[in-house]
Amino acid sequence: MELQLVRPRCRSTARCVHRRRPAAAQAPGRIGGRQGWGETWAWSSRHIWRQNVRQRQQRFGKGSRIGADTGSAFEGDVSEIIICQNEVDLALKNLHAWMKDESVAKNLFTQLDSAFIRKEPFGLVLIVAPWNYPVNLTLVPLVGALAAGNCVVLKPSEISKGTEKVLAEVLPRYLDQSCFAVVLGGPEETGQLLKHKFDYILFTGSPRVGKIIMAAATKHLTPVTLELGGKNPCYVDDDCDPQTVANRVAWFRYFNTGQTCVAPDYVLCSPEMQARLLPALQSAITRFYGEDPQSSPDLGRIINHKHFQRLRDLLSCGRVAIGGQSDESECYIAPTVLVDVQETEPVMQEEIFGPILPIMNVRGLDEAIDFINRREKPLALYAFSNSNQVVNRMLDRTSSGSFGGNEGFMYMTLSSMPLGGVGNSGMGRYHGKFSFDTFSHHRACLLSCSGLEKLNAIRYPPYSEWKQQLISWALGKQSCTLL
């Protein structure tokens, strides 16, 4: 199938204006001297989410909950709706400041000039979203891309069918369609999209597909942000309370049924700590999900049968110490902990993306650091210890997209912190102002007076010894106190 991509008319903040709005609604104001799409976007987004949250739950039923066709209803509200709303509110509150020209330091030659950085939209942005948080990972970058004044083509995942359909049907009712478009379909349609020239691409998904996206982008020299996955280590020191660690690790591992790119993917600890940690993990799982986790309303399901089969095969790795039950008819896999796992087994070679937590034994902190550094740089890394020295040593001697000391991925709730990988786990960053900066071209601008040419004469050849000394001094780290 051949896609015909029509580039939206709007290429600036001034034109990206909401059209369809009840007459009683207050019209958006002006931001920084330009018509502010941001106020409109926030207004629209509030109405999309507030008016359609319960409708979507009813429409798609228990198997396709809000924002995630996988997790519990409340987890969907927290991870999808609330976080997206926070992004909108932050953009609305700060867009005026973000858009302002940024003054920069000057040398003596430019003291009479105006030197600043102007943030300009790239133009047409492609956002390719995954299935595990299909609202969050579609709309959060959309907020930043539109805040920066771009037009956007959204490609939601075809795997999360419920949310994909909602986005395609609902967004056009509230947002100006000259500024965005939603493209549905699978890998074939995505391949067709990538043949077209975009001015920026943001992709969230696996490293394998990320390489395909990047290869396609290079044909047009299109800049990219790649939010990829990987094996996120979690080191547990002997000096810590096992129940506290178990509570935090279990919650973050099994949140959204383990289908989270920044979830801890495996635990590194000593055999002694493993013996203390296992009963604590069992206790945490029982308290969170009950004696029968399958009946818990707070534990979701695997996205589809393909991923269910992949995860069930991983249960044969090592030895099941906790959980291990599965039900193919519901795509259910119990919260599971594996022990006696070998590094060469499949569960340690691929991102798990499910409610399975392997434990690998190490003799101490140094061996854990060496183990982590032998592998690709992860999207997230976690360390638990009562000793700040241990946590800081893990932080200083490793590299990852993000780091949590005695905590899981609560940093994802902070719009003040970026989300981004490093190395095999991705490149670039977004969230909050980082999104605005990612989707903005930072244009260096120097505005000089057309007169005062005699002051500029010193710059021109021939360069006498006196001129050379004066130019070198003026270009150095001198400051003019008179100006």
Side-chain angles (χ1 to χ4, degrees):
M1 182 181 71
E2 184 69 24
L3 290 178
Q4 291 186 350
L5 182 64
V6 179
R7 295 172 74 87
R9 298 189 301 275
C10 167
R11 290 182 63 85
S12 69
T13 303
R15 297 174 187 169
C16 195
V17 185
H18 175 58
R19 293 175 181 171
R20 301 181 60 183
R21 175 170 68 250
Q26 182 179 358
R30 297 183 67 83
I31 299 179
R34 291 180 281 183
Q35 182 75 30
W37 81 267
E39 295 182 358
T40 299
W41 165 248
W43 186 97
S44 305
S45 300
R46 287 193 188 99
H47 283 70
I48 291 172
W49 294 326
R50 291 175 183 173
Q51 293 177 8
N52 289 279
V53 165
R54 300 309 167 197
Q55 293 177 16
R56 277 186 278 176
Q57 284 182 306
Q58 295 170 4
R59 179 175 181 180
F60 296 108
K62 184 178 179 181
S64 297
R65 296 178 176 89
I66 185 84
D69 294 28
T70 56
S72 73
F74 179 70
E75 287 182 354
D77 283 347
V78 170
S79 60
E80 302 274 54
I81 306 306
I82 295 175
I83 289 180
C84 288
Q85 185 63 64
N86 290 343
E87 287 282 321
V88 172
D89 292 340
L90 182 72
L92 173 62
K93 180 180 178 181
N94 295 284
L95 189 57
H96 176 79
W98 294 350
M99 292 170 61
K100 279 185 177 179
D101 292 338
E102 180 182 342
S103 298
V104 298
K106 297 181 285 188
N107 56 34
L108 288 182
F109 275 125
T110 58
Q111 282 297 318
L112 298 179
D113 302 333
S114 175
F116 58 91
I117 299 171
R118 172 159 294 177
K119 291 90 170 183
E120 296 182 345
F122 278 105
L124 183 60
V125 172
L126 172 64
I127 296 174
V128 183
W131 53 262
N132 58 323
Y133 292 96
V135 173
N136 182 322
L137 298 177
T138 300
L139 296 190
V140 167
L142 177 64
V143 171
L146 292 181
N150 299 281
C151 297
V152 181
V153 174
L154 293 174
K155 174 56 185 71
S157 173
E158 75 284 359
I159 296 176
S160 51
K161 299 183 183 299
T163 307
E164 177 194 40
K165 190 173 182 180
V166 166
L167 290 171
E169 292 181 355
V170 174
L171 285 180
R173 301 177 192 170
Y174 296 90
L175 298 181
D176 185 350
Q177 295 185 57
S178 69
C179 291
F180 86 102
V182 180
V183 176
L184 305 182
E188 181 182 353
E189 286 75 17
T190 303
Q192 290 291 336
L193 267 179
L194 292 172
K195 293 180 180 179
H196 296 273
K197 176 177 172 56
F198 291 91
D199 300 299
Y200 203 96
I201 297 175
L202 184 143
F203 167 77
T204 305
S206 68
R208 179 186 65 82
V209 180
K211 293 175 182 179
I212 297 173
I213 299 289
M214 192 169 185
T218 59
K219 297 178 181 178
H220 302 289
L221 295 180
T222 300
V224 297
T225 289
L226 301 177
E227 299 299 337
L228 311 178
K231 302 286 290 181
N232 302 321
C234 177
Y235 174 68
V236 180
D237 188 41
D238 284 345
D239 181 17
C240 62
D241 176 53
Q243 192 59 64
T244 298
V245 174
N247 294 341
R248 300 180 187 183
V249 170
W251 186 49
F252 290 114
R253 171 70 270 188
Y254 304 122
F255 189 93
N256 197 31
T257 329
Q259 296 164 119
T260 304
C261 60
V262 291
D265 209 69
Y266 62 95
V267 167
L268 295 173
C269 67
S270 68
E272 293 76 20
M273 173 49 69
Q274 175 180 302
R276 299 164 60 198
L277 191 59
L278 283 174
L281 284 168
Q282 179 66 77
S283 174
I285 291 169
T286 301
R287 280 186 291 111
F288 294 170
Y289 307 112
E291 294 292 342
D292 179 21
Q294 188 171 358
S295 63
S296 171
D298 298 315
L299 186 66
R301 297 296 184 263
I302 307 306
I303 184 67
N304 58 27
H305 287 281
K306 177 182 177 181
H307 285 277
F308 172 83
Q309 292 291 351
R310 177 184 62 82
L311 289 168
R312 191 162 66 175
D313 290 342
L314 295 180
L315 294 175
S316 62
C317 298
R319 175 174 60 85
V320 174
I322 298 173
Q325 300 84 5
S326 63
D327 184 343
E328 185 173 2
S329 66
E330 292 189 16
C331 286
Y332 165 79
I333 292 181
T336 299
V337 178
L338 302 177
V339 296
D340 301 335
V341 175
Q342 302 300 314
E343 184 179 358
T344 55
E345 292 187 273
V347 76
M348 290 301 298
Q349 296 299 312
E350 63 182 71
E351 184 177 10
I352 296 172
F353 231 64
I356 302 171
L357 181 65
I359 297 179
M360 294 277 296
N361 290 147
V362 292
R363 288 187 295 271
L365 176 63
D366 290 336
E367 185 175 338
I369 291 173
D370 290 341
F371 183 91
I372 293 168
N373 288 338
R374 287 200 310 267
R375 303 165 75 88
E376 296 283 4
K377 294 180 180 180
L379 184 59
L381 193 157
Y382 306 99
F384 289 84
S385 177
N386 290 333
S387 169
N388 290 335
Q389 184 178 2
V390 169
V391 174
N392 287 326
R393 191 171 177 186
M394 178 66 75
L395 175 61
D396 293 341
R397 292 182 57 189
T398 58
S399 176
S400 60
S402 55
F403 181 86
N406 292 311
E407 188 55 284
F409 49 74
M410 284 301 295
Y411 57 85
M412 294 286 289
T413 65
L414 301 176
S415 296
S416 55
M417 298 188 76
L419 170 65
V422 59
N424 197 65
S425 59
M427 61 184 69
R429 57 186 183 174
Y430 73 105
H431 277 191
K433 186 177 184 294
F434 299 100
S435 298
F436 179 86
D437 290 337
T438 286
F439 293 114
S440 297
H441 167 58
H442 290 225
R443 190 179 187 184
C445 303
L446 183 69
L447 307 183
S448 184
C449 177
S450 59
L452 303 176
E453 183 62 11
K454 287 187 177 180
L455 291 178
N456 292 327
I458 190 176
R459 304 183 304 190
Y460 307 140
Y463 299 115
S464 64
E465 183 177 352
W466 177 81
K467 272 190 176 184
Q468 292 179 36
Q469 292 178 353
L470 187 58
I471 291 172
S472 298
W473 177 77
L475 290 176
K477 295 182 180 179
Q478 304 298 327
S479 61
C480 180
T481 57
L482 296 179
L483 298 177

